[in-house]
mmCIF file with all atom_site columns, all heavy atoms in Angstrom:
data_model
loop_
_atom_site.group_PDB
_atom_site.id
_atom_site.type_symbol
_atom_site.label_atom_id
_atom_site.label_alt_id
_atom_site.label_comp_id
_atom_site.label_asym_id
_atom_site.label_entity_id
_atom_site.label_seq_id
_atom_site.pdbx_PDB_ins_code
_atom_site.Cartn_x
_atom_site.Cartn_y
_atom_site.Cartn_z
_atom_site.occupancy
_atom_site.B_iso_or_equiv
_atom_site.pdbx_formal_charge
_atom_site.auth_seq_id
_atom_site.auth_comp_id
_atom_site.auth_asym_id
_atom_site.auth_atom_id
_atom_site.pdbx_PDB_model_num
ATOM 1  N N   . GLU A 1 431 ? -58.632 -127.834 -119.485 1.00 0.00 ? 431 GLU A N   1
ATOM 2  C CA  . GLU A 1 431 ? -57.426 -128.665 -119.457 1.00 0.00 ? 431 GLU A CA  1
ATOM 3  C C   . GLU A 1 431 ? -56.149 -127.841 -119.550 1.00 0.00 ? 431 GLU A C   1
ATOM 4  O O   . GLU A 1 431 ? -55.089 -128.364 -119.853 1.00 0.00 ? 431 GLU A O   1
ATOM 5  C CB  . GLU A 1 431 ? -57.464 -129.688 -120.605 1.00 0.00 ? 431 GLU A CB  1
ATOM 6  C CG  . GLU A 1 431 ? -58.611 -130.691 -120.518 1.00 0.00 ? 431 GLU A CG  1
ATOM 7  C CD  . GLU A 1 431 ? -58.609 -131.483 -119.215 1.00 0.00 ? 431 GLU A CD  1
ATOM 8  O OE1 . GLU A 1 431 ? -57.523 -131.896 -118.771 1.00 0.00 ? 431 GLU A OE1 1
ATOM 9  O OE2 . GLU A 1 431 ? -59.700 -131.654 -118.632 1.00 0.00 ? 431 GLU A OE2 1
ATOM 10 N N   . THR A 1 432 ? -56.255 -126.521 -119.340 1.00 0.00 ? 432 THR A N   1
ATOM 11 C CA  . THR A 1 432 ? -55.058 -125.700 -119.526 1.00 0.00 ? 432 THR A CA  1
ATOM 12 C C   . THR A 1 432 ? -54.535 -125.190 -118.183 1.00 0.00 ? 432 THR A C   1
ATOM 13 O O   . THR A 1 432 ? -55.265 -125.109 -117.193 1.00 0.00 ? 432 THR A O   1
ATOM 14 C CB  . THR A 1 432 ? -55.355 -124.463 -120.420 1.00 0.00 ? 432 THR A CB  1
ATOM 15 O OG1 . THR A 1 432 ? -56.332 -123.653 -119.759 1.00 0.00 ? 432 THR A OG1 1
ATOM 16 C CG2 . THR A 1 432 ? -55.863 -124.870 -121.787 1.00 0.00 ? 432 THR A CG2 1
ATOM 17 N N   . TYR A 1 433 ? -53.229 -124.858 -118.175 1.00 0.00 ? 433 TYR A N   1
ATOM 18 C CA  . TYR A 1 433 ? -52.607 -124.245 -117.014 1.00 0.00 ? 433 TYR A CA  1
ATOM 19 C C   . TYR A 1 433 ? -53.200 -122.859 -116.821 1.00 0.00 ? 433 TYR A C   1
ATOM 20 O O   . TYR A 1 433 ? -53.436 -122.189 -117.807 1.00 0.00 ? 433 TYR A O   1
ATOM 21 C CB  . TYR A 1 433 ? -51.092 -124.147 -117.271 1.00 0.00 ? 433 TYR A CB  1
ATOM 22 C CG  . TYR A 1 433 ? -50.306 -123.653 -116.099 1.00 0.00 ? 433 TYR A CG  1
ATOM 23 C CD1 . TYR A 1 433 ? -49.825 -124.540 -115.151 1.00 0.00 ? 433 TYR A CD1 1
ATOM 24 C CD2 . TYR A 1 433 ? -50.057 -122.288 -115.940 1.00 0.00 ? 433 TYR A CD2 1
ATOM 25 C CE1 . TYR A 1 433 ? -49.110 -124.078 -114.059 1.00 0.00 ? 433 TYR A CE1 1
ATOM 26 C CE2 . TYR A 1 433 ? -49.355 -121.833 -114.849 1.00 0.00 ? 433 TYR A CE2 1
ATOM 27 C CZ  . TYR A 1 433 ? -48.875 -122.722 -113.912 1.00 0.00 ? 433 TYR A CZ  1
ATOM 28 O OH  . TYR A 1 433 ? -48.183 -122.276 -112.831 1.00 0.00 ? 433 TYR A OH  1
ATOM 29 N N   . PRO A 1 434 ? -53.474 -122.376 -115.638 1.00 0.00 ? 434 PRO A N   1
ATOM 30 C CA  . PRO A 1 434 ? -53.201 -122.995 -114.345 1.00 0.00 ? 434 PRO A CA  1
ATOM 31 C C   . PRO A 1 434 ? -54.416 -123.695 -113.730 1.00 0.00 ? 434 PRO A C   1
ATOM 32 O O   . PRO A 1 434 ? -54.318 -124.176 -112.620 1.00 0.00 ? 434 PRO A O   1
ATOM 33 C CB  . PRO A 1 434 ? -52.846 -121.776 -113.485 1.00 0.00 ? 434 PRO A CB  1
ATOM 34 C CG  . PRO A 1 434 ? -53.754 -120.699 -114.007 1.00 0.00 ? 434 PRO A CG  1
ATOM 35 C CD  . PRO A 1 434 ? -53.904 -120.966 -115.485 1.00 0.00 ? 434 PRO A CD  1
ATOM 36 N N   . VAL A 1 435 ? -55.546 -123.781 -114.440 1.00 0.00 ? 435 VAL A N   1
ATOM 37 C CA  . VAL A 1 435 ? -56.738 -124.346 -113.781 1.00 0.00 ? 435 VAL A CA  1
ATOM 38 C C   . VAL A 1 435 ? -56.645 -125.857 -113.611 1.00 0.00 ? 435 VAL A C   1
ATOM 39 O O   . VAL A 1 435 ? -57.471 -126.466 -112.956 1.00 0.00 ? 435 VAL A O   1
ATOM 40 C CB  . VAL A 1 435 ? -58.061 -123.964 -114.490 1.00 0.00 ? 435 VAL A CB  1
ATOM 41 C CG1 . VAL A 1 435 ? -58.373 -122.512 -114.295 1.00 0.00 ? 435 VAL A CG1 1
ATOM 42 C CG2 . VAL A 1 435 ? -58.031 -124.334 -115.946 1.00 0.00 ? 435 VAL A CG2 1
ATOM 43 N N   . THR A 1 436 ? -55.598 -126.457 -114.191 1.00 0.00 ? 436 THR A N   1
ATOM 44 C CA  . THR A 1 436 ? -55.325 -127.870 -113.934 1.00 0.00 ? 436 THR A CA  1
ATOM 45 C C   . THR A 1 436 ? -54.658 -128.048 -112.571 1.00 0.00 ? 436 THR A C   1
ATOM 46 O O   . THR A 1 436 ? -54.187 -129.128 -112.239 1.00 0.00 ? 436 THR A O   1
ATOM 47 C CB  . THR A 1 436 ? -54.378 -128.421 -115.022 1.00 0.00 ? 436 THR A CB  1
ATOM 48 O OG1 . THR A 1 436 ? -53.310 -127.480 -115.181 1.00 0.00 ? 436 THR A OG1 1
ATOM 49 C CG2 . THR A 1 436 ? -55.088 -128.591 -116.347 1.00 0.00 ? 436 THR A CG2 1
ATOM 50 N N   . ALA A 1 437 ? -54.616 -126.985 -111.785 1.00 0.00 ? 437 ALA A N   1
ATOM 51 C CA  . ALA A 1 437 ? -53.918 -126.992 -110.490 1.00 0.00 ? 437 ALA A CA  1
ATOM 52 C C   . ALA A 1 437 ? -54.387 -128.119 -109.576 1.00 0.00 ? 437 ALA A C   1
ATOM 53 O O   . ALA A 1 437 ? -55.540 -128.543 -109.622 1.00 0.00 ? 437 ALA A O   1
ATOM 54 C CB  . ALA A 1 437 ? -54.156 -125.661 -109.779 1.00 0.00 ? 437 ALA A CB  1
ATOM 55 N N   . GLU A 1 438 ? -53.444 -128.572 -108.748 1.00 0.00 ? 438 GLU A N   1
ATOM 56 C CA  . GLU A 1 438 ? -53.802 -129.479 -107.651 1.00 0.00 ? 438 GLU A CA  1
ATOM 57 C C   . GLU A 1 438 ? -54.282 -128.604 -106.499 1.00 0.00 ? 438 GLU A C   1
ATOM 58 O O   . GLU A 1 438 ? -53.520 -127.795 -105.968 1.00 0.00 ? 438 GLU A O   1
ATOM 59 C CB  . GLU A 1 438 ? -52.561 -130.243 -107.188 1.00 0.00 ? 438 GLU A CB  1
ATOM 60 C CG  . GLU A 1 438 ? -51.973 -131.175 -108.224 1.00 0.00 ? 438 GLU A CG  1
ATOM 61 C CD  . GLU A 1 438 ? -52.631 -132.539 -108.215 1.00 0.00 ? 438 GLU A CD  1
ATOM 62 O OE1 . GLU A 1 438 ? -53.429 -132.813 -107.292 1.00 0.00 ? 438 GLU A OE1 1
ATOM 63 O OE2 . GLU A 1 438 ? -52.348 -133.336 -109.127 1.00 0.00 ? 438 GLU A OE2 1
ATOM 64 N N   . VAL A 1 439 ? -55.567 -128.749 -106.143 1.00 0.00 ? 439 VAL A N   1
ATOM 65 C CA  . VAL A 1 439 ? -56.092 -127.945 -105.025 1.00 0.00 ? 439 VAL A CA  1
ATOM 66 C C   . VAL A 1 439 ? -56.614 -128.891 -103.938 1.00 0.00 ? 439 VAL A C   1
ATOM 67 O O   . VAL A 1 439 ? -57.101 -129.980 -104.245 1.00 0.00 ? 439 VAL A O   1
ATOM 68 C CB  . VAL A 1 439 ? -57.229 -126.987 -105.481 1.00 0.00 ? 439 VAL A CB  1
ATOM 69 C CG1 . VAL A 1 439 ? -56.705 -125.928 -106.432 1.00 0.00 ? 439 VAL A CG1 1
ATOM 70 C CG2 . VAL A 1 439 ? -58.347 -127.758 -106.158 1.00 0.00 ? 439 VAL A CG2 1
ATOM 71 N N   . PRO A 1 440 ? -56.522 -128.483 -102.681 1.00 0.00 ? 440 PRO A N   1
ATOM 72 C CA  . PRO A 1 440 ? -57.017 -129.357 -101.617 1.00 0.00 ? 440 PRO A CA  1
ATOM 73 C C   . PRO A 1 440 ? -58.554 -129.446 -101.674 1.00 0.00 ? 440 PRO A C   1
ATOM 74 O O   . PRO A 1 440 ? -59.205 -128.507 -102.140 1.00 0.00 ? 440 PRO A O   1
ATOM 75 C CB  . PRO A 1 440 ? -56.566 -128.664 -100.326 1.00 0.00 ? 440 PRO A CB  1
ATOM 76 C CG  . PRO A 1 440 ? -56.280 -127.257 -100.705 1.00 0.00 ? 440 PRO A CG  1
ATOM 77 C CD  . PRO A 1 440 ? -55.969 -127.221 -102.160 1.00 0.00 ? 440 PRO A CD  1
#
Side-chain angles (χ1 to χ4, degrees):
E431 297 303 318
T432 62
Y433 186 89
V435 289
T436 47
E438 295 274 351
V439 294

